[in-house]
Amino acid sequence: MNGSQLELIEQAAAWVLESHSTVCLTGAGISTESGIPDFRSKGGIWDRFDPKDFEIRRWLASEDIQRRYWEVAQDGYNLVQNAAPSGGHFALARLSRHGRLQLLVTQNTDGLHQKAGHEPDKIVEIHGTSHVCVCVGCGSKLPRSEVHARAQGGEGIPKCEDCGCLLKPDAVFFGEGLCPEKLSRVVEASKRAEVFLVAGSSLAVRPAGGLPERARKAGARLVIVNEGPTRFDAKADIRIQGKTGEVLPALVDAVLA
Ligand code: NAD
């Protein structure tokens, strides 16, 4: 950690200490140190998959894409199931346990915040979860591992046992709407936030990527911790370039010192 990063961390920690309402938005960048690639960095998911195959209408319309998905997704899911939380996940869980983080909004579907001990009722998984599958017809839910076992056990494209419709991961695909209750909870919290912290997100995906702007307009101080550029760097009050697994533990140590 260099001197200017430490100065920025001290300033951000002082704001978090003063704040009565701190909200954090995390993205794929908080999980890269857990071994789960993000989308846009070099070697990320978009280097290996066509994003169009995750567009919901295209996915629902093509048995070819669905079959390929269930063949290939097992590897990705194994990675997620076996991943351990990073220093960034543990740091945010600690901040929350000490009452210094009121809400964590994550764009991630990997469940690593919960694995790090973050209280589930203080997390909104705005893009759903990879650990559950949902029937697109009747909405019934079942563990993802069961669905993979069935896909590999000869079903190819697993279907709901109740209504016969397709099963998909309970994670939001491109073109799908977000859960309205979750969205209104995070919008309200963002508007009330005194500090809004972004960690490991390019902020390229809306509507989640627009939350910092809402919070900023409503008066929050905006702190961005990210390796690469983000869409709101120019509007951030503090922009710390660095790894979430290094910066967030230092920030939380400074808050709780
Ligand atoms: P993104 O890929 O657009 O951006 C990730 C950002 O994190 C990049 O700007 C990169 O520079 C930065 N980054 C990577 N490693 C970092 C590190 N160790 N420390 C600090 N910064 C780091 O991801 P996004 O903004 O989250 O949007 C992509 C969408 O894809 C989201 O919906 C996201 O949840 C989803 N996604 C989720 C996972 C997951 O659940 N782990 C993985 C890939 C994508």
Side-chain angles (χ1 to χ4, degrees), residues 27-28 32-33 39-40 107 109-110 127 201-202 226-228 244:
T32 54
E33 289 162 82
F39 278 168
R40 291 174 181 77
Q107 300 170 83
T109 60
D110 54 32
H127 293 157
S201 175
S202 65
N226 205 58
E227 264 190 327
T244 49

Side-chain angles (χ1 to χ4, degrees), residues 25-34 36-41 45-46 80 89 106-112 126-128 130 172 174 199-205 208-209 225-230 239-247:
L25 172 69
T26 63
I30 197 166
S31 294
T32 54
E33 289 162 82
S34 298
I36 302 172
D38 62 13
F39 278 168
R40 291 174 181 77
S41 297
I45 289 168
W46 293 155
V80 168
H89 296 106
T106 186
Q107 300 170 83
N108 296 344
T109 60
D110 54 32
L112 286 177
I126 191 83
H127 293 157
S130 289
V172 175
F174 292 121
S201 175
S202 65
L203 301 175
V205 177
V225 178
N226 205 58
E227 264 190 327
T230 83
R239 165 78 171 96
I240 307 173
Q241 207 214 334
K243 289 196 180 297
T244 49
E246 293 168 7
V247 175

